[in-house]
Amino acid sequence: MKIDEALIRDVVTQVLQEVTAAAKSTGSHSAGSNAVSSGRWTNAAAVAPRGHVGRRGQFTCVDQAVEAAQTAFDQLSTKGLEQRREIVDIIRKICSSQAEELGGLEFQETKIGRLEHKIEKLVALDHPRVPGVEFLRPQTYSGDHGLAVIERAPFGVIGAITPVTHSLPTLACNAISMISAGNALIANPHPSGKKIAAEGVRRFNEAIFQKTGIDNLICVITEPTLESANAIFAHRGVALVVVTGGPAVARAALKAGKRAVVAGPGNPPVVVDETADLAKAARSIVLGASYDNNLLCIAEKEVFVVEQVFDRLMDEMERAGAVRLRGKQVDQMTAAAFVEVGDDKHLAPAKELLGQDAVKMANAIGLKIDPRTPLLFGETDEHNPFVSVEQMMTFVPFVRCGSVEQAIDLAKHYEHGYRHTSLIHSNNVRNITRMGKLMDTTLFVKNGPCMAGLGMGGEGYASFSIAGPTGEGITTPLTFTRERRCSMIDDLWILGQPRSDA
Ligand code: NAD
């Protein structure tokens, strides 16, 4: 057998470099590295054969991933804010500079959404509107009795469950927020987006390791299952769980027995009243509802329109580039788009049409349209499943309403109490106020497309995890911190009177 000496030399050199870098960064054996063998975290459901040491965040075993993430957390805890900032910048830069390749891989694997938007979502992470270390603002109180400083401390290892709709963007955005706050994380991606999640994590860790000597700051379960998600929920080494997904995972996380940040489902309704700028409303609805083929949880899913302007709005929708389906076509589309699932035979979106281009939706009912068409729409009644089911498709139903009050009441009803996102197009401040109060949603967008509510075309910051059920809202680094107070009694208030005993 011929031995490839050059290859062996390369491998040995690389291993030596890594050992040296790791030793430099830890100084000594870290506290977390003995966690499993000491029995501190033994978790029967997740124990896998020993001997597999994960690198660059790739793990099949939850116990080993948590152990590695804990080691990385311990190492990160010895570094300052500036180094956290550098690490976060690495993630941002990889997302933006490799967006075409990574977005392409995500599109290839998940087969939902639109390639250009997969790319855009990654590029968006390299922007100050996705907050980083600068968001951690200490508070101080000073006075007669001295000084108190309130600082934001990390939790430790955070478990993140991520959706298929934005597999890598959610994971990367979670990583930016969580690491800015000083944490390490372990992610359980959706099985249909697991390869891109693992590849992104590998690239992030590789670059972070080269720069800082810390490996496995972001760990990923490469063969994710419901069992591995549950093992993360139950693991004693995971201090906090953060889930981004639909109703089932939201319920599971709330039962996890530890603190959970839950970014759950939505079914965002839009109300259009008689005072709205109809052309702008139509352009906004087309832009928001067609973005990544309606995969965004904040995207316009159903529209309630006051009778008086209904027909004019429908005309404006066509002017904005959407294609209108009528009568029978709407019935055919409804029949094609939903399937009965579960024992109770409830309706769910048909997988083959979820997140697909409008042209594919149209083809499903034998309709030929311009392939560049962003969106289909049509009139339905409120009982059509396109209204009630969170459908994530490029057909949007428009429901005719007798009054703005009725439109708002229907919006409230079909949002299902998720308190996620709602939108209105109106220039009547009373209508806007009434809807805002009644809906009680985390995001309430007026006179723009949904993404403007996340700072893309509107003000404010962005995140891919919007935590409605547990109340954290649009997550930021602060979401992933614990408050700690440091009090100095009677001293350090330099404005005060000199102490008599000084
Ligand atoms: P999904 O609920 O099918 O899956 C989300 C994640 O949860 C996946 O990793 C999945 O494997 C896991 N999961 C599902 N059921 C589970 C259970 N019982 N126990 C443990 N883990 C479980 O959702 P999806 O199709 O990937 O994503 C779309 C959904 O996510 C929509 O409902 C959308 O509104 C929601 N979403 C919400 C936000 C937000 O910020 N609030 C962001 C993106 C997506």
Side-chain angles (χ1 to χ4, degrees):
M1 191 178 73
K2 194 165 175 291
I3 292 176
D4 187 341
E5 283 181 21
L7 180 66
I8 293 173
R9 205 171 303 116
D10 280 349
V11 171
V12 171
T13 310
Q14 192 188 345
V15 169
L16 281 175
Q17 275 171 352
E18 292 183 5
V19 169
T20 313
K24 263 193 216 148
S25 101
T26 54
S28 65
H29 203 66
S30 90
S33 58
N34 271 334
V36 169
S37 53
S38 67
R40 194 165 89 198
W41 287 337
T42 301
N43 178 340
V47 172
R50 291 289 182 83
H52 170 82
V53 180
R55 293 166 68 237
R56 308 302 180 252
Q58 315 290 302
F59 291 87
T60 52
C61 165
V62 169
D63 264 349
Q64 289 172 350
V66 176
E67 180 189 1
Q70 177 67 43
T71 302
F73 169 70
D74 293 341
Q75 292 169 352
L76 183 67
S77 301
T78 66
K79 314 264 181 194
L81 290 176
E82 197 44 47
Q83 267 163 316
R84 280 192 216 168
R85 202 188 312 271
E86 280 173 13
I87 291 171
V88 165
D89 278 349
I90 286 172
I91 299 170
R92 293 184 193 274
K93 287 281 168 299
I94 288 176
C95 286
S96 63
S97 66
Q98 301 175 26
E100 279 194 25
E101 189 195 350
L102 292 169
L105 289 173
E106 174 141 2
F107 185 59
Q108 231 174 47
E109 183 183 8
T110 62
K111 301 182 179 61
I112 52 175
R114 277 164 61 178
L115 177 60
E116 68 267 36
H117 297 148
K118 302 272 176 244
I119 295 170
E120 258 178 36
K121 288 192 285 186
L122 287 167
V123 172
L125 292 166
D126 188 15
H127 192 283
R129 84 165 72 86
V130 176
V133 175
E134 74 291 344
F135 219 74
L136 305 171
R137 293 177 296 259
Q139 269 179 294
T140 51
Y141 293 83
S142 64
D144 291 352
H145 298 293
L147 182 72
V149 181
I150 296 168
E151 290 188 294
R152 313 298 308 201
F155 276 91
V157 176
I158 299 180
I161 313 290
T162 53
V164 66
T165 44
H166 340 277
S167 187
L168 186 57
T170 308
L171 205 165
C173 186
N174 279 181
I176 288 171
S177 292
M178 293 169 185
I179 295 170
S180 291
N183 303 284
L185 65 144
I186 153 170
N188 202 66
H190 191 289
S192 304
K194 65 181 180 185
K195 288 191 203 147
I196 179 61
E199 179 57 17
V201 165
R202 189 191 64 74
R203 293 184 190 195
F204 299 152
N205 280 305
E206 186 64 52
I208 293 168
F209 179 78
Q210 295 305 333
K211 179 88 185 169
T212 66
I214 303 177
D215 197 8
N216 300 319
L217 195 53
I218 310 161
C219 295
V220 64
I221 301 301
T222 52
E223 292 300 333
T225 58
L226 293 187
E227 287 70 34
S228 57
N230 286 323
I232 291 172
F233 289 160
H235 206 292
R236 284 170 55 205
V238 174
L240 170 72
V241 291
V242 180
V243 307
T244 308
V249 71
R251 278 193 299 274
L254 290 170
K255 286 192 213 141
K258 64 174 53 131
R259 170 128 192 257
V261 173
V262 177
N267 192 35
V270 187
V271 166
V272 183
D273 80 4
E274 67 284 1
T275 68
D277 175 338
L278 297 179
K280 187 178 179 201
R283 283 196 307 275
S284 299
I285 294 168
V286 171
L287 198 64
S290 68
Y291 194 86
D292 211 15
N293 287 344
N294 207 328
L295 288 183
L296 298 182
C297 60
I298 59 169
E300 293 83 348
K301 296 283 193 289
E302 68 275 354
V303 187
F304 300 102
V305 191
V306 172
E307 165 82 60
Q308 218 175 316
V309 292
F310 189 90
D311 294 327
R312 275 164 47 213
L313 179 65
M314 298 301 260
D315 292 345
E316 291 295 351
M317 285 293 292
E318 287 184 299
R319 246 170 244 135
V323 166
R324 181 172 182 177
L325 305 188
R326 293 171 189 268
K328 241 191 176 157
Q329 291 172 328
V330 174
D331 297 340
Q332 287 173 320
M333 183 58 77
T334 308
F338 296 94
V339 289
E340 290 180 346
V341 295
D343 295 340
D344 61 351
K345 295 199 179 315
H346 68 272
L347 290 176
K351 278 212 174 100
E352 61 277 12
L353 291 184
L354 192 145
Q356 299 305 314
D357 291 348
V359 69
K360 187 166 173 197
M361 294 280 286
N363 284 345
I365 60 164
L367 192 67
K368 295 274 168 276
I369 58 169
D370 183 331
R372 289 164 305 175
T373 305
L375 193 71
L376 307 175
F377 73 103
E379 181 173 359
T380 72
D381 67 21
E382 63 165 297
H383 304 294
N384 187 295
F386 271 109
V387 174
S388 54
V389 178
E390 189 196 17
Q391 31 101 358
M392 298 189 278
M393 290 186 194
T394 46
F395 173 87
V396 173
F398 281 60
V399 179
R400 207 181 275 266
C401 300
S403 64
V404 68
E405 287 78 16
Q406 188 198 9
I408 293 173
D409 288 348
L410 288 176
K412 173 78 182 168
H413 181 73
Y414 288 105
E415 209 270 329
H416 303 305
Y418 291 138
R419 300 200 294 178
H420 192 297
T421 298
S422 57
L423 307 96
I424 188 169
H425 293 274
S426 170
N427 283 304
N428 179 324
V429 78
R430 292 271 154 79
N431 291 346
I432 295 173
T433 309
R434 180 169 186 275
M435 181 167 175
K437 278 192 179 167
L438 190 74
M439 295 304 300
D440 200 15
T441 46
T442 304
L443 271 184
F444 180 45
V445 184
K446 280 84 68 182
N447 299 332
C450 62
M451 51 274 214
L454 288 184
M456 297 168 199
E459 293 303 324
Y461 49 83
S463 164
F464 282 94
S465 295
I466 299 159
T470 46
E472 292 79 5
I474 296 135
T475 53
T476 71
L478 284 179
T479 311
F480 308 111
T481 59
R482 301 151 48 228
E483 193 174 293
R484 291 188 60 195
R485 181 184 295 197
C486 188
S487 296
M488 168 61 90
I489 315 303
D490 291 341
D491 270 312
L492 282 185
W493 187 40
I494 57 174
L495 303 183
Q497 297 298 320
R499 284 174 40 178
S500 55
D501 59 347

